[in-house]
Amino acid sequence: MKAAGAVLWREADGDVEIAVVHRLRYDDWSLPKGKLDRGETIPACAVREVFEETGYSCVLGRHLRQVSYDVRGVPKTVDYYAAEAVSGDFAVSEEVDELRWLPIAEASELLTYEPDRDVLAEFARLPADLLLVLLVRHAKAGKRSEWDDDDDLRPLSDAGWRQAEALRALLPLWTPTRVHTAPRVRCADTVRGVATDLSVEMVEEPRLSEEGYWPDPEAGLVRLLEVASDEGRAVVSSQGGVIPSVVQSLAEMGGLRLSEVPCKKGSVWVLAFTRPFGTWSTSDSPSRWPTLVSAHYLASALPRP
């Protein structure tokens, strides 16, 4: 059984408040969460459950952790995200009869279950407002050996277009405002729908293509950090020969341990970075650059059957 939820937060007088809900059926205080519907992704479930239990629309941030336990002998996992409340108002429902906005320490004391307190502690470990890059590997494009034209022009396959449409539905849950792409037809077409929906032009990133990255990997890493630092969140579409190196290198620079860096076609790495103090440049010490503090892998944007 799979479920998803969130630490729903908002700014309050320069600090952060957390939404804690009281569930009438269980007479407990918990973080908003619930089971996946058929045909739903885990991130979409988190957003929906937050709205149904709190009345607030939200924007997803970093993945916090997955909690596992048994429900009447059936294994259950719950994936939790940080989520910023952007609009809405609480109303009593059959499931939730009270919501309280509380400082983190008070919210932790009120929560009934230890796993919820652990999730909240993970949220509190880092700033709530982080820079975010959604690093996408292009969707399926058939076999290179079966394409006779310039490989830069190799198009998405039918399966690839399905993946692209799924990404078009998934990525807006993090409310990106910019779309960047390696200069490949298959990379651009993977995120073209997202750019269309945002009414923005895609920005080509030669440094994040395979032949542009490997002659100078450091320049490619710096370019991704520059993209992360710009105003608003970004989608970046790249290739399988680039993404694992970028993610692993940034993780090592930030002291973040990753046991592996998978990179399936149509997958997404949700990368969260600290905000640098003031402006930064490549001439500064790397300690002043944005630092990768969270990297969560989504193997597929396609919903569960």
Side-chain angles (χ1 to χ4, degrees):
M1 183 188 307
K2 291 189 177 295
V7 173
L8 183 67
W9 66 275
R10 69 181 183 185
E11 291 187 356
D13 298 325
D15 205 347
V16 169
E17 289 183 333
I18 305 302
V20 182
V21 297
H22 183 262
R23 300 185 300 176
L24 192 60
R25 177 182 177 185
Y26 302 104
D27 189 23
D28 63 8
W29 289 94
S30 73
L31 301 172
K33 62 179 179 293
K35 293 186 294 185
L36 264 69
D37 287 343
R38 184 176 296 276
E40 186 174 47
T41 62
I42 287 174
C45 174
V47 170
R48 176 182 56 77
E49 285 291 339
V50 163
F51 181 76
E52 291 179 357
E53 294 197 357
T54 71
Y56 284 85
S57 298
C58 68
V59 173
L60 291 184
R62 68 184 175 102
H63 182 268
L64 297 173
R65 65 168 51 190
Q66 184 182 85
V67 174
S68 301
Y69 53 91
D70 286 351
V71 178
R72 293 184 293 275
V74 178
K76 181 177 181 178
T77 61
V78 187
D79 282 88
Y80 286 94
Y81 291 85
E84 183 180 8
V86 293
S87 64
D89 286 295
F90 174 72
V92 173
S93 66
E94 293 182 359
E95 189 171 0
V96 176
D97 64 340
E98 187 176 352
L99 179 149
R100 295 184 188 177
W101 286 102
L102 298 170
I104 291 174
E106 293 181 30
S108 182
E109 290 179 2
L110 183 61
L111 288 168
T112 301
Y113 305 111
E114 188 65 28
D116 280 6
R117 289 191 286 274
D118 292 341
V119 171
L120 184 54
E122 171 57 28
F123 170 83
R125 186 176 63 84
L126 294 170
D129 188 19
L130 296 168
L131 303 171
L132 203 74
V133 171
L134 303 165
L135 184 56
V136 180
R137 182 180 178 186
H138 69 75
K140 294 180 179 179
K143 296 180 180 179
R144 183 177 301 184
S145 60
E146 297 176 358
W147 178 252
D148 296 329
D149 207 337
D150 184 344
D151 189 59
D152 292 2
L153 304 177
R154 182 154 49 99
L156 298 182
S157 64
D158 290 345
W161 282 112
R162 289 192 292 272
Q163 289 177 317
E165 283 301 304
L167 287 163
R168 189 174 186 173
L170 177 74
L171 298 181
L173 298 174
W174 287 270
T175 62
T177 59
R178 296 173 289 119
V179 180
H180 301 249
T181 180
R184 295 284 183 278
V185 166
R186 55 192 178 276
C187 293
D189 282 351
T190 296
V191 293
R192 190 177 303 279
V194 179
T196 297
D197 294 342
L198 293 175
S199 299
V200 298
E201 294 291 330
M202 287 186 288
V203 178
E204 286 199 349
E205 298 293 348
R207 289 286 189 185
L208 297 174
S209 66
E210 289 176 349
E211 79 282 2
Y213 176 80
W214 284 109
D216 191 351
E218 183 176 345
L221 296 176
V222 168
R223 179 56 194 147
L224 187 67
L225 291 175
E226 289 173 341
V227 169
S229 299
D230 288 344
E231 183 177 350
R233 296 172 167 190
V235 171
V236 176
S237 180
S238 186
Q239 297 175 268
V242 173
I243 291 172
S245 175
V246 166
V247 175
Q248 188 64 58
S249 297
L250 291 173
E252 291 174 358
M253 290 167 60
L256 191 64
R257 292 186 177 181
L258 298 178
S259 58
E260 58 180 346
V261 186
C263 187
K264 293 175 61 177
K265 290 178 181 177
S267 63
V268 183
W269 276 96
V270 181
L271 306 178
F273 301 83
T274 56
R275 293 179 180 274
F277 293 101
T279 58
W280 67 280
S281 70
T282 55
S283 61
D284 294 333
S285 166
S287 63
R288 287 181 49 82
W289 299 1
T291 301
L292 183 67
V293 291
S294 174
H296 181 63
Y297 179 65
L298 296 169
S300 174
L302 294 167
R304 295 176 68 219

